[in-house]
Amino acid sequence: MTGTAAARLRELHLDRKPGEALVLPGAWDPAAARVFAQAGFTALATPSAGVAASLGYADGECPADEMFAAVARIVRVVGIPVSADIERGYGLPPSEIAGRLRDAGAVGCNLEDSVAGELVAAGEQAEFLAAVREALGDGPDGPFLNARVDVYLRGSEKPLEEALARGRAYVAAGADGVYPIGAPLDDLAVLARELPVPVNGLARFADGGPSVAELAAAGCARVTFGGGLAEHAYKGVREMAAELRR
């Protein structure tokens, strides 16, 4: 985990004009990562769902050792910064999370605030993020810590209100970005305006939107795709397999 690459990833998030977003394709294996890098993208993300699928696991069931090893293989084949989706850290202590990210070469990470489909209490998650922040190190060369907010996935009665409260708490704990996954465009516009860090929007590739352009116009400074790009690629494989059977 080099300071130079971490500083570059941070710079890419912050050096944006209004209405522009840093687009991070979700590379699920080294071959996909190389394709995206060769296409000219300046940084990549790894989607936990896509990586899990590439290794034969359902989303959320990939062991930590295999996930971090897959991230390391992706980092190895590209010369651009890579941010890793590591769910909620697989139950590892913050010092080990930081060490494994460092060993894999990732210079950023996503950490979500739900486990087994249930939201973690906001205060507990903020304490966890603060401990991870300390273990990762702070400052311009510190890895980019993206705090995922899952209230839109878990049926909150007042998702915007709760997303704002959680986002503010996570920023105070040291998060560099906030990722209200699944938030509608109108709510993303409020979150982007009210939170003092880059807000991450989820684009739906070939799935009815929201698009990259719509998310950027709403104020998202970062756009990712979750496991959507991997799923689109595997859809092509399934269609090819069906055609071969015919």
Side-chain angles (χ1 to χ4, degrees), residues 1-62:
M1 186 184 296
T2 66
T4 299
R8 176 58 178 155
L9 182 60
R10 188 177 298 276
E11 177 186 355
L12 289 168
H13 280 87
L14 300 177
D15 187 20
R16 321 300 302 174
K17 297 177 182 177
E20 287 185 350
L22 172 63
V23 179
L24 298 177
W28 58 93
D29 65 15
R34 184 178 283 117
V35 169
F36 291 131
Q38 290 174 343
F41 287 96
T42 53
L44 298 177
T46 67
S48 61
V51 172
S54 76
L55 298 172
Y57 294 100
D59 186 19
E61 295 182 3
C62 183

Side-chain angles (χ1 to χ4, degrees), residues 135-174:
L136 289 172
D138 209 344
D141 289 334
F144 193 94
L145 177 56
N146 200 38
R148 205 177 91 173
V149 177
D150 287 0
V151 297
Y152 290 92
L153 301 182
R154 308 305 176 201
S156 171
E157 293 183 2
K158 298 180 178 179
L160 177 57
E161 182 179 320
E162 188 170 358
L164 279 169
R166 285 177 177 262
R168 289 171 177 141
Y170 299 166
V171 171

Side-chain angles (χ1 to χ4, degrees), residues 42-145:
T42 53
L44 298 177
T46 67
S48 61
V51 172
S54 76
L55 298 172
Y57 294 100
D59 186 19
E61 295 182 3
C62 183
D65 289 349
E66 294 197 46
M67 183 64 71
F68 283 107
V71 172
R73 289 191 293 270
I74 288 169
V75 171
R76 176 179 56 81
V77 301
V78 295
I80 55 178
V82 175
S83 178
D85 178 357
I86 54 170
E87 301 177 3
R88 197 178 177 263
Y90 308 102
L92 301 172
S95 59
E96 188 170 348
I97 290 172
R100 289 197 179 206
L101 286 169
R102 186 178 301 110
D103 291 344
V107 292
C109 70
N110 278 3
L111 285 170
E112 59 198 53
D113 63 356
S114 60
V115 176
E118 299 291 333
L119 282 167
V120 176
E124 179 184 345
Q125 181 69 3
E127 290 179 3
F128 174 62
L129 291 172
V132 173
R133 174 80 280 164
E134 182 178 5
L136 289 172
D138 209 344
D141 289 334
F144 193 94
L145 177 56

Side-chain angles (χ1 to χ4, degrees), residues 239-246:
E239 292 172 352
M240 179 175 62
E243 178 62 25
L244 289 171
R245 286 288 294 166
R246 284 194 291 272

